[in-house]
Amino acid sequence: MQFLSNEQFSNAVNSRTPLGRLGEPKEMAVLVSFLCLPAASYITGQTICADGGMIVNGFVFQG
């Protein structure tokens, strides 16, 4: 992700995320794995935000 090499942008993203960091690929993989299990068979038509809470604050980059 080349845009994350911009330190100003990266700091803005992290400051707006309640967890204070970007998600790791393994954290996204766990969600995908769960959704593939029979335990998730009743989940349909949902938007699942695996974003560290960023959606709570919204995100607008002004730089």
Side-chain angles (χ1 to χ4, degrees), residues 29-54:
V30 170
L31 174 58
V32 172
S33 295
F34 168 70
L35 292 173
C36 292
L37 292 173
S41 65
Y42 205 67
I43 298 174
T44 61
Q46 300 301 310
T47 300
I48 301 174
C49 297
D51 64 1
M54 185 184 294

Side-chain angles (χ1 to χ4, degrees), residues 19-35:
L19 288 182
R21 63 179 180 80
L22 292 175
E24 297 290 326
K26 63 184 175 185
E27 293 170 312
M28 301 304 113
V30 170
L31 174 58
V32 172
S33 295
F34 168 70
L35 292 173

